[in-house]
Amino acid sequence: MTSVGERAVNGKRELTEGLAAQILEHIRGGGLSEGTHLTAQELSERFSVSRFPIGQALQLLAAKGVLTHRPNRGYFVCDIGNASPESLGLAARDDTTSAYFRIAEDHLHGRLPDPASEAHLKETYGVTKAQLNTVLGRIAQEGWAERRPGYGWSFSPMLTTPESLEQTYRVRLALEPAALLEPTYRLDPDVAARCREAELRLLAGAIETDSADALHERGVRFHEAIIGASGNPFFLEAVRRINRVRRLLSYRSMVDRRRYRQQCEEHLEILDLLEQRKNEEASQALRRHLQHTIGNLQKIRPILEP
């Protein structure tokens, strides 16, 4: 029988491995190049945990050769090649990610009690307390659940129908092309280079091998990067709000990945035009890109139905 002490040690190990796997997916999905500096503060905010477990996860990734540690400077990305959570033995991520998507599906189908106690969630999804904390921290950071004072968690209303997802794209169709025409627009060359590297990596084969959350993050990062360059923070805030509420249906849509090659090629075309400062043409290309996405939603409608 496992002792309390052993369970605590196992829980800490699972949390560390789960965070390490999420950081690796963050590196892969974001196309972070070799030499990129990772800070514990930024990662703790992204994954809604304290800096201590982030520091342990960074140490683990450094031990596995994914990161290099430079004294008094921090952690930097190495050439990760085809490294994945599975190839590095970060099995804890499988459990937390599986629980995350099962909770997401149950939320989309209205099967979660409101509020839901942590004891109920642990038993229903077969996870440890550390794993559940990781999952709920991620969900809270994404904005579709919050802790109830004194009792459990409440899950916020999210998009649950193909029609509602299409509506978000129509709002983006009105906003995003306009952002590229702002007089203060300036796309940082380093940001453009990271976006390009992420797209080329997908075209080289990662479309088929990346997880659904890594694919979603790649798309979110691209659009938020080019909109964030507008110099008008209200465009970026609006797009971020939309991205939060469409996340769950976006994951489900990734069952069919055939359209991703076209999306990557369109992203690269938009980048080319922006780097040439042809913003009017880039705006038109972005409009066409979003229209193609709306058209593709019709083709995969059965996947999106609750």
Side-chain angles (χ1 to χ4, degrees):
M1 185 174 180
T2 305
S3 69
V4 173
E6 289 173 326
R7 287 198 297 271
V9 170
N10 290 338
K12 290 179 180 178
R13 186 187 68 247
E14 290 163 353
L15 175 60
T16 299
E17 291 186 356
L19 284 171
Q22 290 182 65
I23 293 169
L24 178 57
E25 291 287 30
H26 167 60
I27 294 169
R28 297 171 65 197
L32 302 187
S33 59
E34 184 177 359
T36 300
H37 184 207
L38 297 180
T39 69
Q41 182 62 41
E42 188 273 334
L43 293 171
S44 68
E45 292 174 358
R46 172 172 292 276
F47 298 116
S48 298
V49 296
S50 69
R51 293 176 61 177
F52 180 74
I54 289 292
Q56 292 182 312
L58 292 173
Q59 289 178 25
L60 177 59
L61 289 173
K64 292 181 177 293
V66 172
L67 304 177
T68 183
H69 181 250
R70 301 175 188 172
N72 301 318
R73 295 187 61 192
Y75 291 90
F76 297 80
V77 177
C78 296
D79 180 4
I80 65 172
N82 294 320
S84 67
E86 293 75 19
S87 69
L88 296 181
L90 301 175
R93 181 189 176 278
D94 292 339
D95 295 332
T96 55
T97 301
S98 173
Y100 171 89
F101 282 108
R102 287 171 62 199
I103 292 173
E105 280 296 306
D106 286 345
H107 182 38
L108 284 172
H109 285 83
R111 293 192 290 252
L112 289 176
D114 187 28
S117 70
E118 291 189 6
H120 170 80
L121 294 171
K122 279 177 57 181
E123 181 179 355
T124 301
Y125 300 103
V127 292
T128 66
K129 181 175 177 57
Q131 290 171 333
L132 182 64
N133 287 341
T134 299
V135 173
L136 292 175
R138 173 180 174 180
I139 292 172
Q141 191 270 337
E142 291 172 357
W144 51 281
E146 62 179 3
R147 187 186 295 276
R148 289 284 295 271
Y151 183 85
W153 290 74
S154 284
F155 293 85
S156 308
M158 297 289 287
L159 302 185
T160 59
T161 66
E163 292 83 3
S164 59
L165 182 60
E166 182 175 329
Q167 287 171 346
T168 68
Y169 276 98
R170 294 200 176 279
V171 174
R172 292 176 60 193
L173 189 60
L175 288 174
E176 293 191 22
L180 272 54
L181 302 178
E182 285 291 282
T184 51
Y185 195 93
R186 181 186 177 277
L187 180 61
D188 183 272
D190 290 339
V191 172
R194 287 197 295 271
C195 288
R196 183 179 300 280
E197 186 174 344
E199 301 301 323
L200 292 174
R201 178 181 167 279
L202 288 180
L203 289 172
I207 289 174
E208 298 302 327
T209 59
D210 270 5
S211 62
D213 44 346
L215 278 179
H216 174 81
E217 283 298 321
R218 185 275 317 181
V220 165
R221 285 177 178 277
F222 175 83
H223 284 270
E224 292 186 0
I226 64 172
I227 301 310
S230 69
N232 184 334
F234 296 102
F235 278 111
L236 182 58
E237 177 58 26
V239 171
R240 282 177 171 167
R241 287 174 63 88
I242 291 170
N243 283 336
R244 284 196 292 269
V245 299
R246 73 181 179 89
R247 180 181 294 271
L248 300 187
L249 281 179
S250 178
Y251 287 154
R252 183 180 287 178
S253 74
M254 290 170 192
V255 172
D256 184 340
R257 303 190 177 195
R258 289 173 294 180
R259 66 195 188 282
Y260 275 88
R261 179 164 293 275
Q262 178 188 13
Q263 287 190 7
C264 290
E265 291 169 349
E266 290 174 353
H267 282 181
L268 290 171
E269 177 192 5
I270 293 165
L271 279 178
D272 288 341
L273 293 169
L274 289 174
E275 289 178 308
Q276 297 167 33
R277 298 188 179 181
K278 297 179 178 179
N279 284 50
E280 182 68 44
E281 294 178 44
S283 176
Q284 295 172 4
L286 179 55
R287 178 174 294 278
R288 290 193 299 271
H289 169 65
L290 291 169
Q291 288 172 333
H292 290 161
T293 302
I294 292 171
N296 285 330
L297 292 179
Q298 298 301 320
K299 298 176 184 178
I300 62 171
R301 187 184 181 91
I303 297 174
L304 300 175
E305 294 285 356

